[in-house]
Amino acid sequence: MKLSDTNISVPVRIVDLGCSNQLVCRRLNDLGVVEGCLVCVKKRLPFGGPITLEADGQWIAIRRKEALQIVVEAV
């Protein structure tokens, strides 16, 4: 399942980041969003806007394009 397909406020575990852009991968790793960590989608803006997720108590906004590449599994 993709991160963009998860329901709001449902915790999931990241299986594969799948970033094609190395800068985005590095930014996510620096913020603690790595494979195996628990995240939770908090907001999903309309019209293809960004997705806000919570990881380790901090809220992070990422593009929907990156969220479509992140593979997650239910906890």
Side-chain angles (χ1 to χ4, degrees), residues 5-35:
D5 298 334
T6 61
N7 294 328
I8 293 178
S9 299
V10 176
V12 292
R13 184 177 312 278
I14 295 180
V15 176
D16 182 27
L17 281 176
C19 294
S20 58
N21 187 343
Q22 293 299 325
L23 291 175
V24 173
C25 258
R26 184 173 166 196
R27 176 179 173 250
L28 290 174
N29 284 331
D30 289 345
L31 292 172
V33 179
V34 294
E35 293 176 6

Side-chain angles (χ1 to χ4, degrees), residues 40-55:
C40 179
V41 173
K42 291 297 186 178
K43 290 184 184 178
R44 187 178 293 121
L45 293 177
F47 308 114
I51 292 176
T52 304
L53 56 98
E54 181 181 8

Side-chain angles (χ1 to χ4, degrees), residues 45-73:
L45 293 177
F47 308 114
I51 292 176
T52 304
L53 56 98
E54 181 181 8
D56 293 330
Q58 63 182 346
W59 287 38
I60 302 164
I62 61 172
R63 292 183 206 114
R64 194 169 300 242
K65 182 175 90 173
E66 276 87 30
L68 283 167
Q69 296 175 351
I70 298 174
V71 178
V72 296
E73 65 181 4

